[in-house]
């Protein structure tokens, strides 16, 4: 497998890397294992000093790292810099709260003393995607390291510079060599790592097939996994909503990261009399977006990460139109800009047979649906195999509770865009995966929850 930084805006190969051979992988795994035995004995305060230093490095060099991200996967430069800054927040959050999250919990029994304690598992393998090449890694690494684990990163093969930069950040911050290492390897080498007894658990953010493979490999070794997979998130608008605000956020929620986000709003379900007005305003706003060079601050949408992604998205849109969907805007690649650029696209009147009805469209393509009432809206929201997030817009408290109770997903945002936050658990259900990242629940995924009974 090719491991290279290829600028998606130009197709230029900026740097290529050799994959690690078996002896190099063994050396890194042995180091991670040896360091884990010592690192688990360090105090929370020692780890926090290094984690806060990592946060400072990220903040000080966010423009440099942001440019690196944009050149590797194409997101607009402003979004890339914001991603790096967000990584600093998760480092600081766990530096401050990890000790509290993992404090012993005393439980009264008929023992002289009984409590639950939380201890690190050891070496954790992280298989991470290209779409948020810093954030996805740091939201795993910050809690994992603060819990006393060591990490091995198998990053996507099109973001090797980001992967190596993250390893260096942790070294420069003062974490011991081997506490967090990047493995430049292909996907075909992941199974062997999971089969190694020294790897105690794994986390993956990525596609359904990748998640299934990792879960199967880990399952054969009875190892804990956390999976954050795809999504086809609904964005529901009720008649009581602030329509102009809903339209504004809907556009942002769809095009975040050039539309390449698992938690991007993808299916827009509008109820009743406001459907025509929402469709008109939303489509007009999507048409006004600027597509172009992601290094230009005025650009709203840059290139998709690879030509294969652009081709797949174009095929999904074409098949949806052929199945009967109505094309309101866009629908094609902007080949005059380059093979990876795709027009902001809006589809409506989408039949169940169309890919846009329930599949994940990974790019700036919005699917519009009309619902008769709140029951119909919830039915449409749940008519997908995914269950990652949902956004519902209503100023009626009763309707808000209906959405909280009725939508099948890992998170529901009311009158707001779905987003991850270091303070709150993040993850999905159904085909969107299992387990949680972030918050107190996230740091407890990769610890031994040990019962202690003292007679």
């Amino acid at each position: 497998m090719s491991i290279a930084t290829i600028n998606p805006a130009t197709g230029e190969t900026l740097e290529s890397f050799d994959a690690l051979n078996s002896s190099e992988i063994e050396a890194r795994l042995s180091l991670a294992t040896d360091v884990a035995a010592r690192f688990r004995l360090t105090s929370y305060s020692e780890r926090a000093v290094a984690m806060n230093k990592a946060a400072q490095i990220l903040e000080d060099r966010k423009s440099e790292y942001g440019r690196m991200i944009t050149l590797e996967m194409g997101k607009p430069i402003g979004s890339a810099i914001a991603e790096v800054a967000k990584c600093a927040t998760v480092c600081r959050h766990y530096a401050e709260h990890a000790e509290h999250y993992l404090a012993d919990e005393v439980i009264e029994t008929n023992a002289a003393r009984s409590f639950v304690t939380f201890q690190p598992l050891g070496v954790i393998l992280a298989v991470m995607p290209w779409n948020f090449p810093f954030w996805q890694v740091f939201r795993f690494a910050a809690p994992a390291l603060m819990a006393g684990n060591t990490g091995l990163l198998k990053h996507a093969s099109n973001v090797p510079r980001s992967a190596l930069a993250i390893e260096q950040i942790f070294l420069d911050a003062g974490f011991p060599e081997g506490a967090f290492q990047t493995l430049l390897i292909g996907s075909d080498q992941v199974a062997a790592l999971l089969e190694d007894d020294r790897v105690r658990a794994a986390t993956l953010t990525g596609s359904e097939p990748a998640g299934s493979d990792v879960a199967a490999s880990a399952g054969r070794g009875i190892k804990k996994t956390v999976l954050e997979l795809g999504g086809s998130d609904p964005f529901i608008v009720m008649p009581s909503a602030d329509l102009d605000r809903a339209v504004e956020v809907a556009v942002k929620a769809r095009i975040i990261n050039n539309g390449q986000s698992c938690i991007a709003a993808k299916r827009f379900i509008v109820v009743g009399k406001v459907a025509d007005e929402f469709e008109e305003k939303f489509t007009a706003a999507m048409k006004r977006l600027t597509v172009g060079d992601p290094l230009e601050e005025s650009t709203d949408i840059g290139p998709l990460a690879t030509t294969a992604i652009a081709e797949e998205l174009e095929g999904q849109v074409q098949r949806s139109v052929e199945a009967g969907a109505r094309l309101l805007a866009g629908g094609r690649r902007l080949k005059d800009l380059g093979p990876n650029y795709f027009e902001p696209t809006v589809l409506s009147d989408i039949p169940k047979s169309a890919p846009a009805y329930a599949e994940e469209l990974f790019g700036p393509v919005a699917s519009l649906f009309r619902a008769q009432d709140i029951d119909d809206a919830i039915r449409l929201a749940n008519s997908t195999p995914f269950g990652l997030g949902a956004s519902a817009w209503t100023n009626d408290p009763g309707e808000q509770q209906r959405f909280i109770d009725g939508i099948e997903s890992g998170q529901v945002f009311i009158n707001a865009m779905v987003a991850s936050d270091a303070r709150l658990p993040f993850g999905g259900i159904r085909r969107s995966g299992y387990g949680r990242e972030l918050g107190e629940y996230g740091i407890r995924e990769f610890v031994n929850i040990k019962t202690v009974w003292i007679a």
Side-chain angles (χ1 to χ4, degrees):
M1 174 180 286
S2 173
I3 301 176
T5 293
I6 301 172
N7 185 346
T10 64
E12 178 188 3
T13 299
L14 302 179
E15 190 173 5
S16 296
F17 300 82
D18 292 328
L20 298 178
N21 59 39
S22 57
S23 62
E24 290 170 326
I25 295 171
E26 170 59 30
R28 283 161 173 77
L29 179 53
S30 294
L31 178 60
T33 305
D34 292 342
V35 171
R38 301 189 302 273
F39 188 60
R40 66 183 289 126
L41 303 177
T42 59
S43 67
Y44 287 109
S45 60
E46 289 177 90
R47 299 170 205 160
V49 169
M51 193 60 72
N52 279 319
K53 181 66 181 301
Q56 192 61 53
I57 293 170
L58 288 161
E59 288 184 344
D60 291 345
R61 301 177 65 182
K62 63 184 179 182
S63 295
E64 173 191 341
Y65 294 136
R67 180 178 175 84
M68 176 190 297
I69 290 170
T70 295
L71 289 174
E72 285 205 303
M73 54 71 60
K75 73 173 60 184
I77 185 65
S79 297
I81 293 172
E83 177 180 335
V84 178
K86 187 175 183 178
C87 293
T89 68
V90 78
C91 290
R92 288 207 166 95
H93 177 81
Y94 281 107
E96 179 180 355
H97 295 287
E99 185 171 9
H100 168 71
Y101 286 157
L102 298 179
D104 290 350
E105 293 184 2
V106 175
I107 298 176
E108 296 298 332
T109 66
N110 57 344
R113 185 178 178 220
S114 52
F115 61 97
V116 176
T117 192
F118 304 91
Q119 298 177 341
L121 294 179
V123 180
I124 313 299
L125 174 66
V127 182
M128 292 288 123
W130 49 263
N131 56 340
F132 291 91
F134 267 54
W135 172 244
Q136 302 279 14
V137 177
F138 275 93
R139 76 184 193 190
F140 151 73
L145 290 172
M146 283 303 302
N149 297 300
T150 59
L152 293 175
L153 170 64
K154 189 284 179 216
H155 217 325
S157 294
N158 60 328
V159 290
R161 285 180 172 177
S162 294
L164 293 169
I166 293 168
E167 177 181 324
Q168 192 62 48
I169 288 168
F170 284 120
L171 283 171
D172 292 345
F175 284 95
E177 184 177 0
F180 187 92
Q181 298 177 84
T182 283
L183 304 179
L184 293 183
I185 59 175
S187 299
D188 57 347
Q189 293 170 287
V190 170
L193 279 169
L194 289 170
E195 291 168 4
D196 194 297
D197 288 340
R198 291 169 292 181
V199 173
R200 297 299 176 85
T203 181
L204 174 140
T205 298
S207 67
E208 278 188 77
S212 178
D213 288 345
V214 164
S217 295
R220 284 191 290 271
I222 321 297
K223 296 180 181 180
K224 176 71 176 290
T225 52
V226 171
L227 303 180
E228 196 263 279
L229 308 178
S232 188
D233 286 8
F235 187 106
I236 304 167
V237 181
M238 297 295 291
S240 67
D242 178 340
L243 192 65
D244 288 336
R245 177 62 179 160
V247 169
E248 177 188 353
V249 177
V251 173
K252 181 181 178 182
R254 185 62 205 100
I255 68 163
I256 184 173
N257 206 45
N258 300 334
Q260 300 165 120
S261 171
C262 296
I263 57 168
K266 299 182 177 76
R267 296 177 300 127
F268 298 84
I269 302 166
V270 191
V271 178
K273 61 184 180 181
V274 296
D276 287 341
E277 186 179 1
F278 180 90
E279 180 180 287
E280 179 182 348
K281 290 182 174 181
F282 179 79
T283 303
M286 289 285 281
K287 288 179 177 179
R288 288 194 296 268
L289 296 170
T290 299
V291 182
D293 183 351
L295 291 174
E296 294 290 337
E297 293 186 2
S298 60
T299 294
D300 298 309
I301 300 175
L304 300 184
T306 68
T307 302
I309 292 170
E311 290 174 344
E312 181 180 2
L313 184 65
E314 189 172 47
Q316 288 175 303
V317 171
Q318 290 175 350
R319 293 194 302 276
S320 295
V321 172
E322 290 168 0
R326 184 162 53 101
L327 184 65
L328 302 180
R332 63 185 179 86
R333 283 189 286 159
L334 298 172
K335 295 183 180 179
D336 55 326
L337 296 177
N340 298 0
Y341 286 90
F342 204 93
E343 281 186 297
T345 297
V346 182
L347 297 169
S348 187
D349 300 333
I350 302 165
K352 289 185 178 180
S353 59
Y357 187 88
E359 289 182 14
E360 182 175 30
L361 303 184
F362 221 54
V365 178
S367 301
L368 299 187
F369 299 86
R370 294 170 183 245
Q372 296 180 357
D373 52 30
I374 190 170
D375 292 322
D376 194 29
I378 292 173
R379 178 190 63 79
L380 282 168
N382 293 335
S383 63
T384 169
F386 299 105
L388 189 54
S391 177
W393 291 73
T394 171
N395 287 316
D396 183 306
E399 291 176 347
Q400 292 175 2
Q401 192 60 51
R402 287 285 309 280
F403 288 125
I404 293 168
D405 294 339
I407 293 176
E408 298 174 2
S409 65
Q411 47 250 314
V412 175
F413 282 60
I414 304 296
N415 296 331
M417 186 176 100
V418 177
S420 55
D421 185 302
R423 298 164 293 188
L424 295 168
F426 178 88
I429 61 172
R430 303 164 72 186
R431 293 278 179 174
S432 290
Y434 52 75
R436 291 295 179 265
E437 299 175 290
L438 301 175
E440 180 176 2
Y441 294 93
I443 197 171
R444 290 187 174 189
E445 288 284 5
F446 295 122
V447 294
N448 175 18
I449 303 173
K450 180 183 287 186
T451 294
V452 178
W453 176 290
I454 303 173

